[in-house]
Amino acid sequence: HGTRELMDFDTLKACPLISNEPLNLVAVMSKTYAVVAWGETTYGGSTDPALEDGVLELFSSSGAFSVIKDGGSVIAWGHPAYGGDVGYAARHLTSDVVSICSGQNAFVALKKSGAAVAWGNAKLGGKVSADVSRKLADGITSVKSSGGAFAAVKGASGEVVTWGQGVSGGDSSSVAHLLASGVKELYA
């Protein structure tokens, strides 16, 4: 996962903000793989006991946090409209999550099976249509966010799947013929 233990001399670096709004919450992962959060409670400024150990990676949106724990389960907290409640996605996030892509107000988890699971603000990529859901069910190798939308690559074919706010890249219908196959990597 690209994580490492913080040493006594290490300096914590801030995560880049996706929005231009002022930061009103902070969370860090400690040497003991626990998460400590402070700031406005509504937006993730407090944590629950499930985050006291076993956290592998920490992710943030503009008003919520999510973590991958040992075994690949996901816990999210903060404002529900920013991805702080996994809601309907919960049943898919109990194990085998290998990475999470953060958007402005949503998250997408990538599972070992190649399935991608979204949650958060529906208009900004937290909910997908039935057609997109079918495409995200397997074979996904990469997910990126522009902030208000997401794009995923199906590895075998190189097909790009997009969803979220249209003006942020969630609607790729005008270039769909160019994204139907052969894409190797996404940039956002």
Side-chain angles (χ1 to χ4, degrees):
H1 291 283
T3 60
R4 67 177 180 79
E5 182 179 353
L6 289 175
M7 305 308 287
D8 291 335
F9 56 85
D10 283 342
T11 303
L12 291 173
K13 295 180 182 171
C15 294
L17 289 176
I18 294 172
S19 72
N20 292 325
E21 297 179 18
L23 181 66
N24 60 3
L25 61 144
V26 179
V28 297
M29 190 165 73
S30 74
K31 289 181 180 185
T32 60
Y33 300 98
V35 172
V36 178
W38 62 96
E40 194 169 336
T41 303
T42 303
Y43 296 96
S46 66
T47 57
D48 82 29
L51 298 170
E52 290 178 359
D53 62 20
V55 175
L56 300 178
E57 283 191 86
L58 172 64
F59 306 88
S60 65
S61 71
S62 62
F65 293 98
S66 63
V67 297
I68 300 174
K69 292 199 61 166
D70 284 332
S73 64
V74 171
I75 296 176
W77 73 100
H79 199 290
Y82 297 88
D85 180 355
V86 297
Y88 64 90
R91 65 189 177 108
H92 302 290
L93 301 172
T94 59
S95 65
D96 296 331
V97 171
V98 294
S99 67
I100 293 177
C101 179
S102 303
Q104 182 176 349
N105 294 343
F107 297 94
V108 176
L110 184 58
K111 299 193 67 165
K112 282 182 189 176
S113 66
V117 181
W119 74 94
N121 186 298
K123 292 181 181 179
L124 299 177
K127 187 172 183 182
V128 299
S129 68
D131 181 50
V132 169
S133 181
R134 280 188 295 280
K135 292 178 180 182
L136 297 178
D138 59 34
I140 302 299
T141 56
S142 177
V143 180
K144 300 286 185 187
S145 175
S146 65
F150 292 89
V153 173
K154 290 187 76 78
S157 67
E159 176 188 7
V160 174
V161 182
T162 62
W163 69 99
Q165 188 177 43
V167 299
S168 296
D171 179 2
S172 59
S173 58
S174 65
V175 292
H177 64 286
L178 299 172
L179 304 176
S181 65
V183 174
K184 301 283 184 213
E185 197 165 342
L186 292 170
Y187 297 90

